[in-house]
Amino acid sequence: MRVVIQRVLQASVTINNLVKSEIQQGLLVLLGVCDEDTEEDIDWLVRKIIQLRIFSDENGVMNRSVTDVQGDVMVVSQFTLFASYKKGNRPSWLRASKPEVATPLYRLFCEKMAEALGKTVATGSFGADMKVMLVNDGPVTICMDTKNKE
C-alpha cells in the first residue's frame, strides 16, 4: 500500500457537483492498493498514521498526533499512486489492484482507521471521478509505502 498523507486545515470531496464529505483540521490520506497488499499492511499503516506526530504543540514543535489534536481524517482511494513511469511518458497502472481486490481493502482500511481514531472517517467514493479540495497546512506532506518502510 502507498499513501500520501497531507496535514490539512480543511478538505472536501465533491462528486458530480455534490459534496460527499468534508473535514476540518486533520489528515487527508490518499490510498493506493496493489495486489500484494494484506490486512497486515493496513494495520501497520493505520498505526503509523494515527501516531504520526506532525501537529504543532504549544511551542510550535511537531510533537502531536491527529488524535492528540482531535483532528479528522479523510481517506480517498487513488490508484495513480502505483503509476509506473519507467518507459516513455504515458504512465502504466498495471501495479494498481483491480476494483475487486482494492475495494474491500480500501473499506477495511477506512474501518480500521475509524476504529483507531475513535470517530467516523470521511471518505471519497471508490472508483468515482472525484474533485478533492484541500488547504495543506504547512505544507506538510508525507509519503509511505508498506513495501519500503523508511
Side-chain angles (χ1 to χ4, degrees):
M1 288 187 163
R2 288 184 180 163
V3 292
V4 174
I5 304 158
Q6 298 185 20
R7 185 179 75 182
V8 299
L9 295 176
Q10 61 187 27
S12 66
V13 173
T14 301
I15 302 168
N16 297 325
N17 295 319
L18 298 171
V19 175
K20 180 187 186 301
S21 58
E22 56 190 342
I23 64 169
Q24 296 304 310
Q25 180 189 33
L27 301 174
L28 170 61
V29 178
L30 305 174
L31 175 71
V33 178
C34 72
D35 288 344
E36 298 82 35
D37 290 331
T38 66
E39 190 169 346
E40 185 177 307
D41 294 305
I42 292 170
D43 292 339
W44 184 84
L45 270 177
V46 167
R47 186 172 53 255
K48 281 303 234 185
I49 292 168
I50 289 294
Q51 295 175 359
L52 200 59
R53 297 185 327 177
I54 58 172
F55 291 89
S56 298
D57 64 15
E58 60 280 350
N59 297 315
V61 177
M62 284 193 218
N63 204 26
R64 292 192 172 147
S65 69
V66 68
T67 55
D68 292 336
V69 299
Q70 298 175 352
D72 297 322
V73 174
M74 175 180 285
V75 181
V76 175
S77 62
Q78 189 168 352
F79 74 92
T80 61
L81 292 178
F82 279 101
S84 174
Y85 41 84
K86 189 174 183 179
K87 292 170 51 177
N89 294 314
R90 185 176 190 193
S92 165
W93 319 114
L94 293 176
R95 291 216 41 233
S97 287
K98 302 284 187 263
E100 54 272 9
V101 172
T103 303
L105 289 172
Y106 169 75
R107 288 185 180 142
L108 183 59
F109 181 90
C110 292
E111 289 169 16
K112 289 190 175 231
M113 181 64 75
E115 183 180 314
L117 191 61
K119 62 179 170 178
T120 303
V121 168
T123 64
S125 211
F126 191 91
D129 180 15
M130 297 174 275
K131 308 303 178 213
V132 179
M133 296 183 60
L134 68 133
V135 177
N136 192 320
D137 184 19
V140 175
T141 302
I142 296 174
C143 301
M144 290 184 187
D145 188 324
T146 59
K147 307 303 186 262
N148 185 21
K149 299 173 181 169
E150 296 183 27

